[in-house]
Amino acid sequence: MTRKMNQNFMFVIAVSILLSVLLTAIVSYRLFQQEVFAGLSSCAKMIEQLGLIERMKEDGYVQPENELRITWIGEDGSVLYDSYTPAIVSTDHSSRPEVMDAQQNGEGYSIRKSQTMDESIFFYAKRADNGTIIRMAKETGSILQVYKNILPAVFFIALFSFLISAWIARKLVKAFVRPIAQMADDMSHLENVDAYKELTPFVELIREQHEEVKQNARIRQEFTANVSHELKTPLTAISGYAELIANGMATKKESRHFAEEIHENAQRLLKLINDILALSELDDVQGHTLSLERVNVYEIARQCIHKLEPVAAKHEVCLLLEGEPLLIDADRELLAEMIYNLCDNAIRYNKKGGNVWVSVTDRLSVRDNGIGISPQYQKRVFERFFRVDKSRSKKTGGTGLGLAIVKHIAQAHRACIALESEEGVGTTISVMFPGSASALEGWGAAHE
Ligand code: ADP
């Protein structure tokens, strides 16, 4: 890129130097013409005022060549006197453009090529008071000839300007590219990049994205470590119990107990794998389209409660549904999973004889009068594998992924989540879907 930019700059510099040399040549040649005509005009005036032309004619004065040529032309256009070639006397000059102009307007100018063609002849004609025309002529080099003399100087000036501009351009390109190269070299220290004003937002953006990538990598690494750890515990148990049975060291009664343990741990593994799969699918959903359809949140909540009745009964918890139909555009399966997870938690982290109220109004709320969550953990419960009480979670079949899944499903539906909880009193988790009536004020802080 640096090379390309340098080449482009060189090209632009070369073109602009060439153009300016060309334009300067044209303008200065015009000035030169004006100067020559001004000189001829003042000479003609002087000759007229001093009556010199009559005296020259009388004396038969013949001028050496390469000097000013003076021609005197009568009113009828015939030559009365010529300082170069007396022989042209009496020839008709009335058709010469400068003579015609002088006859009509008092003054006339013209430039013609000399016979040798590399010289130009400047003609100036002036009508005298007595009606005759005094014409002055001067031979000078043509534009090319004039420039031939100054060409070496022009060439050196152009070359010098080119070199100076090219040097400055190189410096500018370097300064322009330096922060970008710095960024490419060391992505980890973007804060040290010495960026100019226009590049700052770009560097900021890259810095943020880089941080995000690093953060994501860290999360993925932690997640992999957690997953491995979570898988290891039930697998170790399964392997241990299976080994005991295989060795024939267990009695029939023990074997039965070990088989139950194996079954329970395998169930845990399955649940864990299902939750991990659900999360990874949700990662894919972010940014992709969901299979949205018009669904009734109340109806889905009713079905979830029905499914969870046996679990609630086992924990001696009462499940209650209240509210009214709420129609939203959502992915039916994901919405069901979200409500299921919230209700499942409200049952598992409850007390014997406790209640779970599922309410559908303009939002969905799952409230329980269970153990509650202390304020320091309230934000963290949405993290993957975070559990306040690990043993209680495991004992009740928790994987530590339920609320992370809830958070992802809400995000995929652009819904907001709010959590209110008091230790020993209970927990309420509410989900507010976009497009449903009430305002979102006060939801930002709790939105995960
Ligand atoms: P788990 O599978 O352990 O239940 P979750 O992601 O669903 O994982 O929840 C994370 C943690 O948040 C739980 O381990 C529990 O400590 C806490 N938690 C979730 N819901 C409730 C609730 N309704 N009442 C009290 N604590 C809860």
Side-chain angles (χ1 to χ4, degrees):
M1 150 132 142
T2 317
R3 221 176 120 183
K4 187 99 193 126
M5 279 172 86
N6 272 327
Q7 278 173 354
N8 286 346
F9 265 126
M10 302 295 153
F11 178 72
V12 172
I13 291 166
V15 168
S16 44
I17 287 179
L18 230 101
L19 268 177
S20 42
V21 165
L22 217 76
L23 288 175
T24 315
I26 292 168
V27 170
S28 53
Y29 189 67
R30 290 227 166 262
L31 288 174
F32 168 74
Q33 284 178 345
Q34 279 171 13
E35 275 305 301
V36 172
F37 280 128
L40 292 178
S41 152
S42 60
C43 272
K45 267 186 205 134
M46 204 169 64
I47 287 169
E48 184 197 353
Q49 274 165 16
L50 297 176
L52 279 178
I53 195 110
E54 288 90 347
R55 283 197 10 228
M56 285 164 91
K57 180 178 160 61
E58 274 163 29
D59 295 351
Y61 178 73
V62 180
Q63 216 178 352
E65 291 223 3
N66 299 331
E67 295 266 328
L68 273 182
R69 177 181 173 191
I70 306 159
T71 313
W72 193 20
I73 299 159
E75 276 178 87
D76 59 351
S78 62
V79 175
L80 302 174
Y81 164 76
D82 188 88
S83 65
Y84 267 20
T85 40
I88 65 160
V89 169
S90 299
T91 56
D92 184 19
H93 268 37
S94 60
S95 59
R96 302 287 199 275
E98 70 280 5
V99 175
M100 281 160 68
D101 281 351
Q103 277 171 338
Q104 274 169 24
N105 313 319
E107 272 187 324
Y109 306 85
S110 115
I111 301 169
R112 291 196 284 280
K113 289 262 166 266
S114 71
Q115 275 140 351
T116 51
M117 287 311 274
D118 49 353
E119 294 271 301
S120 294
I121 307 173
F122 288 67
F123 291 100
Y124 170 78
K126 180 181 187 320
R127 193 178 62 213
D129 290 341
N130 58 13
T132 59
I133 307 277
I134 299 168
R135 190 185 74 171
M136 313 295 296
K138 184 177 166 63
E139 231 171 87
T140 66
S142 65
I143 182 163
L144 286 177
Q145 252 206 325
V146 171
Y147 274 94
K148 224 189 258 171
N149 300 331
I150 57 166
L151 205 64
V154 170
F155 174 77
F156 278 112
I157 291 170
L159 185 72
F160 184 67
S161 320
F162 179 80
L163 290 177
I164 292 275
S165 319
W167 180 72
I168 293 171
R170 270 182 89 89
K171 289 243 156 227
L172 283 177
V173 170
K174 251 193 187 165
F176 179 74
V177 172
R178 194 188 310 118
I180 301 171
Q182 241 176 310
M183 278 194 277
D185 268 0
D186 187 4
M187 280 291 229
S188 323
H189 294 97
L190 288 176
E191 65 282 357
N192 296 340
V193 173
D194 177 22
Y196 37 88
K197 205 176 89 219
E198 288 77 7
L199 202 66
T200 316
F202 176 65
V203 177
E204 257 328 297
L205 188 73
I206 299 264
R207 194 176 298 166
E208 277 166 23
Q209 284 181 350
H210 185 62
E211 279 307 315
E212 219 171 280
V213 169
K214 271 184 5 190
Q215 173 77 0
N216 284 346
R218 218 174 301 134
I219 290 174
R220 255 200 305 275
Q221 208 178 359
E222 266 174 36
F223 183 65
T224 316
N226 277 329
V227 167
S228 315
H229 181 74
E230 294 289 332
L231 290 175
K232 215 172 146 186
T233 323
L235 272 176
T236 315
I238 289 171
S239 157
Y241 289 128
E243 198 181 1
L244 284 176
I245 296 171
N247 287 346
M249 284 163 69
T251 61
K252 203 168 181 190
K253 200 174 154 210
E254 276 172 336
S255 295
R256 196 184 165 81
H257 168 68
F258 293 161
E260 274 167 13
E261 288 289 340
I262 290 173
H263 177 71
E264 203 176 294
N265 278 294
Q267 285 303 108
R268 248 179 79 189
L269 271 181
L270 268 177
K271 172 115 180 41
L272 192 64
I273 289 166
N274 278 337
D275 279 359
I276 292 167
L277 282 178
L279 263 182
S280 91
E281 270 167 30
L282 279 166
D283 273 343
D284 276 352
V285 162
Q286 310 286 312
H288 293 87
T289 44
L290 301 167
S291 49
L292 291 183
E293 57 183 305
R294 202 99 186 121
V295 294
N296 184 353
V297 182
Y298 187 86
E299 184 50 33
I300 296 178
R302 202 182 56 74
Q303 289 164 8
C304 283
I305 286 176
H306 181 67
K307 251 197 251 173
L308 278 165
E309 284 303 353
V311 187
K314 195 176 135 199
H315 286 83
E316 294 174 40
V317 169
C318 181
L319 273 171
L320 300 152
L321 175 65
E322 54 194 27
E324 58 203 44
L326 172 65
L327 293 177
I328 59 161
D329 290 322
D331 185 306
R332 182 182 290 275
E333 271 182 38
L334 292 182
L335 189 66
E337 185 161 1
M338 177 162 84
I339 301 176
Y340 186 96
N341 283 355
L342 290 174
C343 295
D344 187 39
N345 280 353
I347 297 169
R348 289 191 295 115
Y349 302 106
N350 217 317
K351 302 164 191 160
K352 273 194 178 140
N355 286 325
V356 175
W357 294 271
V358 180
S359 126
V360 182
T361 51
D362 59 338
R363 67 199 64 175
L364 165 86
S365 297
V366 179
R367 181 163 66 92
D368 64 65
N369 53 355
I371 60 169
I373 305 166
S374 84
Q376 84 225 57
Y377 300 128
Q378 287 181 9
K379 275 217 153 179
R380 299 205 59 197
V381 289
F382 292 94
E383 288 173 18
R384 296 170 184 200
F385 294 115
F386 180 83
R387 289 125 155 167
V388 178
D389 178 352
K390 207 165 182 163
S391 67
R392 181 173 182 138
S393 162
K394 284 195 171 170
K395 220 178 352 187
T396 53
T399 57
L401 294 173
L403 285 184
I405 293 173
V406 167
K407 182 181 92 175
H408 274 75
I409 295 176
Q411 275 176 351
H413 286 85
R414 290 186 294 115
C416 299
I417 299 181
L419 182 146
E420 279 170 68
S421 187
E422 198 179 326
E423 241 181 326
V425 178
T427 305
T428 308
I429 297 184
S430 309
V431 184
M432 176 84 158
F433 297 95
S436 59
S438 79
L440 289 166
E441 289 126 52
W443 283 70
H447 176 209
E448 280 296 320

